[in-house]
Every structure is written in C-alpha cells, then in structure tokens.
Amino acid sequence: MSVMNLQSTGRYTAHSSKRAPFVPVRGDRAVSQASCLVRQKAQLRTSNEEFLQKVAGCRVSRTSCRANAARTVVSMAAGDSKKILMLGGTRFIGVYLARQLVEAGHEVTLLTRGKKPVTSQIPDDTDQGFEQYKSAVKHIAADRTDADALKQQLSGAGFQVVYDMNGREAKDVEPVLAAVGDVEQYIFCSSAGVYLKSDQMPHREEDSTDPKSRHKGKLDTEKLLTDKGINFTSVRPVYIYGPLNYNPVEEWFFHRIKAGRPIPVPNSGQQVTQLGQVKDLATAFHKILSNPKAKNQIYNISGERFVTFDGIAKACAKAAGAPEPELIHYNPKDFDFGGKKAFPLRDQHFFASIDKAMADLDWAPEYDLVKGLTDSYKKDFGRGTFRKEADFTTDDMILEKVKNKEPALA
C-alpha cells in the first residue's frame, strides 16, 4: 500500500501531510526490532499498525514496537545530563516522571513544603531501584508562593530545567521564575480543561480556550511564560488514570465493581471521552526535555483512542477480572444531589487530538485502556489502597427512583 493510498483512506492524521515520504528500509531483515522501528519512525512517524508491520519485515505488535522505541530514544538522550528542579514531584505524574529522569542520569531536585516524606516506595519499584532513586534524588523544602524563601534557596543554584507539575495560577509561577533566573526550559503541566466547549472534536492545540474555565489559572500561566519570552512547553492532559491517582476516576468504578453494585451512568452513556495512563504521560514529559521541536509549544497528551462512559465501566470490570457490570442510565436533571458528585467525569463529549505530540516528540502511548486499567488495579486498588472511601449515597438515590419504572434512556 502506498503512502498516497494510506492518505486517501483517511488513516493518516491531520499532521500527516507534514511528514516526509517513506523510503523503504533495505538491508538484512534480521535487524533488531527496536532499530527497525526507530528507522521507520524517523522516516514516516505514523501510528498505522498495518503499515508498520508491512515495511522492512518488522513483524511485531504496535505496542511492542512503541515500547522498544521509547526506551531506545530515552536511553540515547540520557547522555546530556541536566540539573532539574521539579515542583509536584511527590505524587502521581511527578512520581513516575522523577524516576524516569533519575534513571536517565539527570540530577533531579524536588521542591516541596517538607510536610511529608519526599520519597516512598511504589508498587512499580524494585527494592534496589527504590534505594537508587532515594539516594539520587535531592530535596529543597520551601513554599512555592514564598518569594523570599525561594530566592534564598534557588538563586545561584544553577538549575537548567524546571518541571512545574502542580502550578495552578500564574501568581504561583512568578516567584519561581524570579528565583531560578534564566533557565533553558520551563515545562508546565496544564490541562485540556481549558478548551472552550465546541461542536467540532477532537480538541486541537490551536482551538479556542475558555476564559471562564475553572482552569483559567493554567491559561494565565501559559500567557505569562509566553510574555516573558521563556522557552516553555505546556502539556494539556485530558483525564489521567493509573496507580496512585489522587482523582477518583477509575477508583470510582472499581468501588462499585468490588461491591457488586450497578453502575449509574448519566444520560445515554454514549458520551465520548479520553483517558491517558500516567506512565505514558510521564514518558511524554520526559521526551519534551531538550527537544528543540517542543520550544514554545503546547501539546495535548492522553490515550490514543476515545471511549464512551459505558465503555469505561466495562473496561474497569475487565481490568478487575469481574463480570460485565449492570449499567443504570439516568437523567441528572431529575435529581438534587445536594452538591455531591454523582459521576466522576464531566457529562459531555471531551477528548483531544494527540497527533502533534506523537509527531514532534516521537512518542506514542504504550498502554491501551484495558491494559492501563489492569496495571492501575493490580498496583493500587486491587491491593486495597485507594484515596477515597466508597460513598454510594447518590447511587442509592438514583436506584431508588428508577427501580420501579423504565429508565428514561435505555
């Protein structure tokens, strides 16, 4: 199949027209799988499974190819060690990202308020790996909003790169910028929640943003970094899931599956959304480091495929090794939940294109949804650890109302 044919079938993304034409790889077909894929991706950078398998005899799965390529690229980049300051490195994305950076040979310092241990072993750690990480990572105790304390601790420290994983408002970022001085790169964790609701999906990085978004502070920070002329990159995740998730995304479903309860889903359950696995996000953040293509860019980062609300419930059950759950659809307008949240996701279509990140960063998600949820379940909820206790109050309200009548929406 020619490149032209692939384009005509619509299998390329909107960015495919910018890719260089593919030139078949010649040579010994026994070349290693990782080397084979890296050469292919350098020429084409496409996520098309059939095409990757067809060229150069690379007869391996897309997930395997991507995992090999990611490890190869990160390992190659590790020779250029950076002195990195990370804010928000003690939970969720930061926990995984900090480990990747240390493993790659960078000097990583975590800035926290010092109110809890900076390092703790996670299910993904081996004993030896954790001890190596614990001995390598550095720590500075300071409140990021305390300008004087930051200047005292950070001025002249020589940090080259800042990873800001927990900045919420521009005013939270200004003291950090003033204290660290000139840096080579400022990498900021924003949110796809900044986009203005649209009839055209998926959201792309150039789409209009919502000045009334509850994530307005993220937008203000992106503007601040732009206005100051800093080499920055902003990442806009959609919904994030995975081990150690502090937001009750998959946990909300797992609680109900464990209890053997029906799962209430608003309206039709066909609302389309998108989840990204935390380790895939950490890898994307890592690949931004020292990447000239990422200069002053914004990237959506999430899973490659979209999923319905009903689909998430079914995928969570599969990940937990449970039977497919009973789904109860309801109209939220029929209820007064008294301020309680009856469902963990916003009741609308909400998903974004990750084409730009895949092309610029030579990155692709390693986890499909069921694989990623299984990883989360086995390394977190399935071990009896979770962030919030189960609360079925709103569920009971819904079930009580619908149990003696046909649901408004089947």
Side-chain angles (χ1 to χ4, degrees), residues 386-401:
F386 44 82
R387 313 294 89 76
K388 294 184 178 181
E389 295 288 343
D391 181 357
F392 302 129
T393 305
T394 57
D395 299 47
D396 290 340
M397 294 172 62
I398 294 166
L399 294 173
E400 177 66 24
K401 187 155 188 165

Side-chain angles (χ1 to χ4, degrees), residues 274-292:
Q274 184 180 24
L275 280 68
Q277 225 271 1
V278 61
K279 297 171 196 176
D280 284 334
L281 269 71
T283 300
F285 271 100
H286 189 179
K287 288 202 166 194
I288 290 169
L289 181 65
S290 301
N291 188 332

Side-chain angles (χ1 to χ4, degrees), residues 329-348:
H329 297 115
Y330 66 96
N331 187 344
K333 294 180 180 179
D334 293 340
F335 298 88
D336 178 5
F337 295 120
K340 285 183 174 287
K341 197 171 183 179
F343 194 72
L345 311 175
R346 59 175 69 182
D347 185 13
Q348 65 180 69

